[in-house]
Structures are given as structure tokens and as C-alpha cells.
Amino acid sequence: MPSLPLRPAMPPACADWPRDYPALGAPGLRLRAMREDDAADWYAYLRREDVTRHTSWRLDGPQTLAGLIRAYARPDRSHSMRLAIAGPDGRLVGTIGLNEIALPQRRAEIAYDIDPAYWRRGLATQACAALTGWALETLGFARIQATVLDSNTASAGVLERCGFRREGLLHAYRVVRGEPRHFWMYAHTWPPAETGAECG
């Protein structure tokens, strides 16, 4: 069995996380810290029904996202962080980040979204793989998980291509547009799981 890369025994405090974010492997695109002026570009596609149909997003306008961006700048307080996927002109074309960061448990939940203009290019998969690898190998997390609405087959496919395992179905896990909905739980762990069974 090949040896595993060296990595921190525990994730560092959020304030000490490196700012050299992983490369995406997508020409002209990169990960960068979010800025409050990203809210307009983010809202421009999150307001679309085809983008949020299979998610629990509820937005009142760009000001809601500006508040989230301010919170993401303080992951030690918000227990979440998010990066912009920036296009060639530096403007936001997607986001990816970690929610529900629990450093003592070495666990966090990944979340992402992409402007439809960049769909079907493999960008979500590249971003998910890059951030997951960074969180597990560089930061020292033991588990990166994801919850996916049971109708969101596209997002489930992204996770499976990135090595996430489907662990089970969370019944009535989150209210989506007024209705309790079921979500699949996925996880990518370190060291990688050698066996596992789907249940639900």
C-alpha cells in the first residue's frame, strides 16, 4: 500500500489556514477569497430557478449574500468559509466552501454552486476535488461530508466523481420551500475508507 502524504495531526485554527488556495486545473479560472462586491454576481445566478431548484437556498436579494460573505471572512466565528471561483476577468462565476466546520471533530461540510454559463465543463468536479484534497491533506480534516437533496442527481454525480461515498438517506432532514425533504449523506474521509455500504 502506498504511504499517505504527511499532513497536520489536527486542523490549524481558522486564522492560521494558508491563503495559497489549491489550483483548479481549469485554464483561466482560480480560487480566491470572496469580496463583498461579489454579491451581485453571485445573486445574478442564484436567483434563477434552474440553479436553486434542487437546493435549500432562500434569498431575499444581494444584501443577504453580502452578509454571508462578511461572515465567511470570519470562519472562527461563523464556522464556515467560502471561496470565489473567479473567471479570467476576476469576476465570480461560482463558489465553493466549507460549512459547519467542527475543528475538534476534524469535520466540515462542503457546498458549491456554479453559474449556468459554466455548466457542463467539469468545473464543479474540479473545484470539489481541489477543495476536498486541500481540506483533507493540507488542513488535516478527517471527514468532509455533503448533504444532497434526493432529487439533485447532478450534485450527487459531482461528489461521486470526487471519491465521496454515499452513506445513507437522511429522512425529512431539511425544509425546502416549506416541505421537509430527504437528503443523501456523502462523505470523503482520511484515511480513505476501504470498505463501506450504502444504506437508507
Side-chain angles (χ1 to χ4, degrees), residues 181-196:
R181 296 289 304 274
H182 308 327
F183 282 70
W184 288 110
M185 172 65 79
Y186 281 85
H188 200 313
T189 59
W190 192 277
E194 294 184 6
T195 60

Side-chain angles (χ1 to χ4, degrees), residues 18-35 38 81-88 90-98 110-114 123-135:
R19 297 297 189 265
D20 51 337
Y21 301 120
L24 286 177
L29 301 174
R30 63 186 177 91
L31 295 177
R32 62 160 171 80
M34 293 196 75
R35 306 184 300 249
D38 287 326
M81 63 84 71
R82 204 148 183 133
L83 300 175
I85 303 170
R91 295 184 65 169
L92 180 147
V93 301
T95 75
I96 189 161
L98 301 174
I110 197 166
Y112 44 84
D113 48 69
I114 304 291
L123 181 55
T125 300
Q126 290 171 299
C128 180
L131 193 73
T132 301
W134 184 69

Side-chain angles (χ1 to χ4, degrees), residues 7-93:
R7 66 193 204 111
M10 284 288 292
C14 294
D16 298 326
W17 286 9
R19 297 297 189 265
D20 51 337
Y21 301 120
L24 286 177
L29 301 174
R30 63 186 177 91
L31 295 177
R32 62 160 171 80
M34 293 196 75
R35 306 184 300 249
E36 200 166 331
D37 63 3
D38 287 326
D41 288 329
W42 199 10
Y43 183 71
Y45 69 83
L46 283 184
R47 64 193 282 184
R48 293 177 46 160
E49 192 273 338
D50 57 338
V51 174
T52 58
R53 179 186 306 136
H54 299 290
T55 76
S56 56
W57 272 110
R58 293 187 64 184
L59 297 170
D60 298 322
Q63 69 279 1
T64 303
L65 296 175
L68 285 175
I69 291 169
R70 289 192 294 272
Y72 293 140
R74 293 299 309 269
D76 54 325
R77 294 182 181 177
S78 65
H79 306 288
S80 59
M81 63 84 71
R82 204 148 183 133
L83 300 175
I85 303 170
D89 60 359
R91 295 184 65 169
L92 180 147
V93 301

